[in-house]
Amino acid sequence: PRDAVRFNFTQTVANIEYAAVRLSHDRPAAVTKSPEVAGDAWYGAIMRRLPGEGPRQSAHYVPFMAAYSGGVATGAWCDANYNGDLTDDPPVRLSAYPATAGARSFLVDLRWTATAPSGDLPIDWTIRVVLEPPAADGSGPFFRVQRVHAMMGDVVMQGRTHRAFLFDGNGDGLYTRDFFDGLYVDLDDDLRFSIDVMSREFGPFAVPFQMGERVYEAAPVDPAGREIVLREVAVAKASPPPVIGKPAPDFTYDDTAGRSTSLKDYRGRLVLIYFWASWCGNWADDAPRVQTLYERYHAAGLEILGVSYDTDRAAMERFRKERHLTWPTSFSGRMFYEDPIARMYQGRWPGSAYLVDRDGRLDGSFSNLEAIEARLAELLPSRSAS
């Protein structure tokens, strides 16, 4: 392990785009009054949370309304004073930015006070909302959200200096060990960032993270984002990204029964790497089907290695018991973007899966059970028929 190194960050114009969401005709429950407009009225919201609110809480999102006519936004109103009334805020000014046909955007300043362990901190955001034209298929238009400013600085990793910025991923105005907060590092020095918590250029503050061939931890983190301390805690070979037809990245985990499980130990058998979570609504229906696949094909050479995205072990174990799930699974207790196997395989949501062939190569990646069932029927037709 190396000594801790302190890095400083300053507020800089960066235009960090972190969301693309479809507008809706449904007025949010938080909106008590809207202006009367000619044309279509569409609603959206800017993510904002108060410290301590969880990933599924949206009570303090900031709603806005956009009026469209002829496929172009002609007006917009944003609840910048957080009272639910879209008619009593200063009007926003639409601009023809970016240079996309039919796109318009507006800027809005959001200010509030957030309570941190070190005391109250004033939060001052400038947000740009880009209003896209409606889709060609007639579905609603998308809006994109950018934070105009970011806390940016330079960090040194493996002897090289890279540009980096701190990411307030949960939208509470603070930089903490809470969900989605972390550090983006421009490892390839192309001056471009993909705002994706599964990116190899993102390191979550909550847990040690790997960048290149080193593992780092951030401790401590200044809630205002003026500095962080990085400590190198381990050396680890970087895993190649998963590529169909190439060798599957190897991993080892202790399953929930305490048995050490390695992917390489299953050469000669088909292995389905399945990412799941008991809290996922779709998983309640999918779980019995996955168990049925396991029972049907296990004797013919199929193994299932589960990777749980649960953070509550008791809930996960209860779910497995109730659904009689017998294939081995891991439990790291981490959010999906913090789980090392999920990051290795880019398993972005429960229900995503990879199939590894008998030679240890990736046969396919899947996002629905129907495709998995069809592929197994091709590879093990006699067992499928029986």
Side-chain angles (χ1 to χ4, degrees):
R2 302 283 184 88
D3 292 336
V5 181
R6 188 180 306 274
F7 298 102
N8 297 319
F9 292 77
T10 57
Q11 183 170 280
T12 306
V13 173
N15 294 320
I16 303 300
E17 186 168 302
Y18 65 92
V21 186
R22 196 178 295 279
L23 291 166
S24 171
H25 277 310
D26 297 329
R27 190 169 81 174
V31 175
T32 59
K33 189 176 181 182
S34 301
E36 296 292 333
V37 298
D40 288 336
W42 295 91
Y43 292 91
I46 300 165
M47 183 181 71
R48 182 185 76 110
R49 293 185 176 93
L50 300 187
E53 293 184 332
R56 296 178 180 82
Q57 291 179 275
S58 58
H60 294 100
Y61 280 22
V62 181
F64 66 86
M65 189 186 87
Y68 274 72
S69 180
V72 177
T74 56
W77 298 260
C78 186
D79 187 25
N81 62 6
Y82 319 126
N83 69 350
D85 185 348
L86 291 174
T87 66
D88 66 351
D89 292 277
V92 299
R93 176 178 173 272
L94 290 180
S95 64
Y97 174 88
T100 302
R104 298 291 185 269
S105 67
F106 66 85
L107 294 172
V108 61
D109 293 320
L110 301 179
R111 298 183 177 90
W112 75 97
T113 299
T115 301
S118 56
D120 289 347
L121 285 176
I123 308 302
D124 189 351
W125 283 357
T126 299
I127 298 292
R128 176 181 288 110
V129 176
V130 179
L131 302 167
E132 299 282 5
D137 63 3
S139 57
F142 274 85
F143 70 94
R144 296 183 282 119
V145 185
Q146 302 171 355
R147 291 190 192 143
V148 174
H149 302 101
M151 300 303 290
M152 299 199 70
D154 292 329
V155 299
V156 179
M157 291 182 164
Q158 294 182 241
R160 294 182 58 189
T161 301
H162 306 280
R163 290 295 283 168
F165 73 91
L166 307 185
F167 185 59
D168 170 27
N170 65 348
D172 66 359
L174 305 177
Y175 301 94
T176 66
R177 295 182 180 278
D178 213 339
F179 63 97
F180 297 146
D181 283 12
L183 170 73
Y184 279 93
V185 180
D186 187 15
L187 292 177
D188 56 10
D189 300 318
D190 65 352
L191 300 180
R192 296 178 63 86
F193 294 93
S194 174
I195 308 307
D196 177 358
V197 292
M198 297 295 276
S199 167
R200 295 173 186 270
E201 294 189 325
F202 176 72
F205 289 147
V207 297
F209 57 87
Q210 182 168 352
M211 286 201 177
E213 296 189 348
R214 299 292 187 272
V215 178
Y216 301 88
E217 66 177 359
V221 179
D222 172 24
R226 293 163 296 201
E227 63 180 27
I228 63 168
V229 174
L230 289 181
R231 180 180 288 106
E232 184 181 309
V233 296
V235 176
K237 184 178 180 180
S239 299
V243 177
I244 305 305
K246 299 292 185 180
D250 192 32
F251 60 84
T252 299
Y253 66 62
D254 289 336
D255 68 18
T256 53
R259 298 167 298 200
S260 180
T261 299
S262 295
L263 178 61
K264 65 177 183 294
D265 294 339
Y266 291 95
R267 294 290 169 83
R269 298 178 69 81
L270 295 175
V271 180
L272 185 68
I273 305 169
Y274 202 90
F275 300 94
W276 68 282
S278 66
W279 46 259
C280 175
N282 292 334
W283 179 238
D285 295 328
D286 288 351
R289 294 171 61 187
V290 174
Q291 181 63 26
T292 297
L293 287 177
Y294 184 63
E295 294 170 358
R296 177 183 301 163
Y297 293 114
H298 182 63
L302 175 69
E303 301 289 348
I304 297 179
L305 298 182
V307 178
S308 171
Y309 287 163
D310 281 277
T311 55
D312 183 335
R313 178 154 190 160
M316 186 267 300
E317 295 284 16
R318 183 167 56 251
F319 186 95
R320 281 177 57 82
K321 183 178 180 180
E322 290 172 352
R323 270 69 173 186
H324 309 290
L325 306 182
T326 58
W327 33 270
T329 194
S330 70
F331 175 80
S332 68
R334 299 178 180 180
M335 302 283 281
F336 70 96
Y337 61 94
E338 300 169 345
D339 186 282
I341 302 172
R343 291 184 67 82
M344 180 186 296
Y345 276 85
Q346 299 289 286
R348 298 174 183 277
W349 50 79
S352 56
Y354 281 91
L355 185 63
V356 181
D357 69 18
R358 293 179 175 88
D359 296 321
R361 294 180 179 274
L362 286 174
D363 179 83
S365 94
F366 305 90
S367 59
N368 64 78
L369 266 176
E370 289 76 12
I372 296 172
E373 291 167 340
R375 183 56 179 155
L376 290 176
E378 291 175 358
L379 295 172
L380 301 167
S382 60
R383 191 64 187 173
S384 175
S386 65

